Structure formats: structure tokens, C-alpha cells
């Protein structure tokens, strides 16, 4: 009898964990806390055409590239998703993410419904999508209002944008109402742990069970 | 603005959590610990034709009924699953379980692959199935060998039966290799928490989000 039938955690394919929400729902804080807690969960470094800020490190915060190069990557279908925001391009490199998945790492994405739809079309089986909702409209408005320095018009525009983003919750696998940060981080982490144990993601299970049968000498 | 948009936990349909495993894999201990930890998770009381033991309470441990009555329930399709074991019948009453689900309770089942297949055919959307595997053939054999009082033939029969049950893991949604009780209870509990947050199970989400839109006065 030997130890061939020992299953280690790298013997599974990683997954892509997408979190979307209207701004003000607390998603970014949840993602940060999640990465702090779980060493197998990583973010992927995006490409951008936005100018590099003095505090930013190329290849760490972003890969800073020229627009011409970015558009060539788009043309070659090298992005899982990409978007233009305030005149600058942002994109998630496909090959890097797939390498992480092969090594059994899970990659988390903090993106909107448009990015989620783009990724969905390229990676259905590896994808787990979660939508974060605010607990009430009052709390959402309070968060978007900020320090009361903004005009009523700006607050209204932010609310319209948040409600528009929010209308996409039915496209997601899971929905978490963010009542408390701790509870929501626990819930999202539970979803991650559960999805890691889906039969279809544990690619080595057939070998694991077959080895048990072969090693049975009773 | 009012509090109509507050979502409480009873505003979801419960789910049926099925755990199967070969005997000796630790499933029964996991189920017990899970019920102790989670107040929303309950077991359903089965019907049986087996004679009542002095320590058992009718309607609590089992509903003890005559074979004729049991077979009438079978004929009327009143069981989610039923089986004959060592000459006695056992069955899970459908109506009671569905009542629990409506009240937002989750019902856990400790049954084999045959019971799981029977439930599956009647309750696909409410069902979450988990297969528990032993960490190695050595550990499985040690557990089945018991206190070394059994003959080699009995141990072999138990191993054959365990390996036969084990061959059904590909029919389950999740697979958990039971390396440590604590870790496995955590994982199964995570699966339960995750499945409670599936969009399709949160039947009140559309109302919740629509109320937020209606209550937006910014």
C-alpha cells in the first residue's frame, strides 16, 4: 500500500470569482479582506493605457502600455474583458489568468456587469459570479452622498448609475446582501470554499478513488 | 422612505442537503456536528416498520407504523425515498419535508446513493448533494475493521460494500475528502451557506430590489 491516493489541494483547477455591485455597496472592501484571509485567492494585474502615477509600480499595480499595443491585444483576443473608462482602456490578460487556474489558484475580479458578460462568454465552467447588494436604499444613498460636499445633481447621477448597475443582479450565480462587512466576507468566503469542492472542479477525483480500489487488499 | 426593503432570512425557500458516503467515511458524525452548529438545519423524522425499541420515542426517533400502512404510503407516492433494510421498511415523508422548506428551513438527509437517486427524481431544484470520501483506503479499512474482533471475511464484505457505495461519487454536486472532522464540518457548512445564497433560492430578491428603486427619492 502506498500514498498515491493522497489528494493535495493543487490537484484541482482554479476558478474565477467575479464580484459585482453598484458602487457604495461595499464590494471593494470585501475583496480586499477576502484576499487577506485566503492565500490561494489572488488578483490578476490588468493592462491599462492610463498614465502611470508616481506611487504606482509597473507590472504590480498595472501593466502600463500604449493605446496602440492595447488595441493589438484586443484584436488578438488576448483579453478576458476590457473596457474604456474616462478615455482610458483597461483589460484583463487571458493567458496570465489561465496560467493561475492551471496552478490551482483562484483569481478574483472586481468588475461590473459588462465585464462579467464578457468573461462569461469565454469561461463559463471556471466562473463563479456574486452580486453584492446594499442592505437598503438609505444606506446606499448615505454612502454615495459622501461628505455632503456634492450637489443634489451629482448625488442623483450616482444613484441612477448605482440603480442601473443593480438591475443586473439576476445574471449572477449568488446574491449577497451586505448588512455587515464581517458577515458578508464570511459568506463570500463560504461560496469560494464550496465552489472549490464542486465535483467537476476536482479533476483528480477519479484517479483518487481508483487508486483506493487498487490499493484495497482486504 | 420605509423599511419594506429589509430582507429577512425566512424569505427564502429551504433546501434539501443530502450527504452520502461509504460507511466508515465519517458522514454521520459530520451531520450530527452540523445540526449542532446550525439552528436552521433540521433532520426529518422517518417512517419505519421496524419494532420500536424501549429507549425510542414514537414521532421523534421514528414514526413507527405497520407494514400495511407503509405500503399504502408508498402506493400514494407519499415518500421522497424509501428502502427495505434487513426486512424492515424506512421512508422519508414528502409532505413534512416540503412544509419545512416552505418555512425556510433546510433539511439534511443521511442516505445512500439509492435514496439520493429517488429524491433527485422528485426535487431537483431544492436538492444539494455531497459525497464524503475517506482520506485513504488504509483509514477506511481501519474504521471498518473495528476492534479486530471480526473475521477476515466480514471485513472483506464490508470493504466490498464500501467500495461499491463509493463508486457513486460522480452523481453528486460536491465531494469532500474527510481528512479531519473539523475541516470537513467547516467545508460542508460552507456549502450550506453558499447554497442558501444562490440567486434562484432567494425568492424575494426581485421584490427587495424593486422596493429599493421605488424608495429612491434622490
Amino acid at each position: 500500500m502506498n500514498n498515491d491516493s493522497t489528494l493535495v489541494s493543487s490537484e484541482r483547477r482554479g476558478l474565477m470569482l467575479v464580484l459585482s455591485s453598484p458602487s457604495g455597496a461595499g464590494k471593494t472592501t470585501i475583496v480586499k479582506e477576502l484576499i487577506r484571509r485566503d492565500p490561494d485567492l489572488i488578483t490578476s494585474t490588468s493592462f491599462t493605457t492610463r498614465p502611470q502615477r508616481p506611487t504606482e509600480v509597473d507590472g504590480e499595480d498595472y501593466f502600463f502600455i500604449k493605446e496602440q499595443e492595447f488595441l493589438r491585444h484586443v484584436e488578438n483576443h488576448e483579453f478576458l474583458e476590457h473596457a474604456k473608462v474616462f478615455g482610458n482602456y483597461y483589460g484583463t490578460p487571458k493567458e496570465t489568468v489561465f496560467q493561475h487556474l492551471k496552478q490551482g489558484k483562484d483569481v478574483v475580479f472586481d468588475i461590473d456587469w459588462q465585464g462579467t458578460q464578457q468573461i462569461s462568454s469565454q469561461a463559463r465552467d471556471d466562473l463563479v459570479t456574486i452580486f453584492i447588494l446594499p442592505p437598503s436604499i438609505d444606506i446606499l444613498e448615505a454612502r454615495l452622498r459622501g461628505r455632503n460636499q456634492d450637489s443634489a445633481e451629482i448625488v442623483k447621477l450616482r444613484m441612477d448609475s448605482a440603480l442601473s448597475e443593480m438591475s443586473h443582479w439576476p445574471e449572477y450565480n449568488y446574491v449577497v446582501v451586505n448588512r455587515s462587512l464581517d458577515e458578508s466576507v464570511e459568506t463570500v468566503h463560504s461560496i469560494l470554499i464550496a465552489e472549490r469542492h464542486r465535483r467537476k472542479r476536482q479533476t483528480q477525483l477519479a484517479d483518487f478513488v481508483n487508486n483506493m480500489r487498487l490499493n484495497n487488499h482486504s
Side-chain angles (χ1 to χ4, degrees), chain A residues 29-39 41 182 185:
Chain A
T29 320
I30 293 173
V31 169
K32 260 189 207 155
E33 182 57 24
L34 209 60
I35 288 172
R36 205 184 60 76
R37 287 191 196 186
D38 196 311
L41 187 68
D182 265 1
V185 171

Side-chain angles (χ1 to χ4, degrees), chain A residues 144-201:
Chain A
L144 291 179
R145 194 175 289 282
R147 300 190 189 86
N148 274 321
Q149 296 166 333
D150 303 308
S151 70
E153 195 198 341
I154 285 191
V155 172
K156 188 191 171 333
L157 286 172
R158 284 188 191 149
M159 283 298 279
D160 286 352
S161 157
L163 288 169
S164 164
E165 175 73 25
M166 208 150 73
S167 69
H168 289 276
W169 68 269
E171 297 156 31
Y172 288 73
N173 303 137
Y174 298 92
V175 178
V176 176
V177 180
N178 184 19
R179 289 195 197 76
S180 90
L181 177 65
D182 265 1
E183 197 192 307
S184 298
V185 171
E186 277 300 321
T187 301
V188 173
H189 201 201
S190 291
I191 293 170
L192 178 60
I193 290 170
E195 289 285 346
R196 284 173 178 164
H197 286 86
R198 277 201 175 274
R199 178 190 28 82
K200 63 175 185 184
R201 289 217 169 79

Side-chain angles (χ1 to χ4, degrees), chain A residues 30-207:
Chain A
I30 293 173
V31 169
K32 260 189 207 155
E33 182 57 24
L34 209 60
I35 288 172
R36 205 184 60 76
R37 287 191 196 186
D38 196 311
D40 279 338
L41 187 68
I42 55 177
T43 48
S44 124
T45 307
S46 294
F47 284 51
T48 187
T49 60
R50 167 168 85 54
Q52 182 173 356
R53 293 171 192 154
T55 57
E56 288 176 333
V57 180
D58 188 27
E60 214 165 275
D61 296 291
Y62 287 97
F63 290 103
F64 296 95
I65 59 175
K66 298 271 168 241
E67 183 163 322
Q68 199 185 5
E69 192 183 342
F70 192 98
L71 295 175
R72 203 172 51 240
H73 289 315
V74 172
E75 209 165 289
N76 295 337
H77 307 285
E78 288 166 11
F79 290 125
L80 270 174
E81 57 90 30
H82 64 279
K84 195 173 191 177
V85 183
F86 297 126
N88 298 307
Y89 288 102
Y90 298 84
T92 306
K94 199 189 293 187
E95 200 41 46
T96 320
V97 171
F98 286 177
Q99 283 300 327
H100 290 318
L101 301 185
K102 269 186 206 159
Q103 291 158 11
K105 292 281 178 187
D106 305 305
V107 187
V108 64
F109 300 93
D110 176 346
I111 51 176
D112 68 2
W113 65 271
Q114 298 180 70
T116 307
Q117 289 185 357
Q118 287 181 51
I119 292 191
S120 294
S121 68
Q122 301 190 66
R124 195 162 301 275
D125 276 354
D126 293 322
L127 199 66
V128 176
T129 61
I130 305 177
F131 201 88
I132 310 290
L133 285 173
S136 74
I137 197 77
D138 309 43
I139 289 176
L140 182 68
E141 198 185 318
R143 285 185 190 159
L144 291 179
R145 194 175 289 282
R147 300 190 189 86
N148 274 321
Q149 296 166 333
D150 303 308
S151 70
E153 195 198 341
I154 285 191
V155 172
K156 188 191 171 333
L157 286 172
R158 284 188 191 149
M159 283 298 279
D160 286 352
S161 157
L163 288 169
S164 164
E165 175 73 25
M166 208 150 73
S167 69
H168 289 276
W169 68 269
E171 297 156 31
Y172 288 73
N173 303 137
Y174 298 92
V175 178
V176 176
V177 180
N178 184 19
R179 289 195 197 76
S180 90
L181 177 65
D182 265 1
E183 197 192 307
S184 298
V185 171
E186 277 300 321
T187 301
V188 173
H189 201 201
S190 291
I191 293 170
L192 178 60
I193 290 170
E195 289 285 346
R196 284 173 178 164
H197 286 86
R198 277 201 175 274
R199 178 190 28 82
K200 63 175 185 184
R201 289 217 169 79
Q202 300 185 70
T203 45
Q204 304 298 311
L205 274 178
D207 286 348

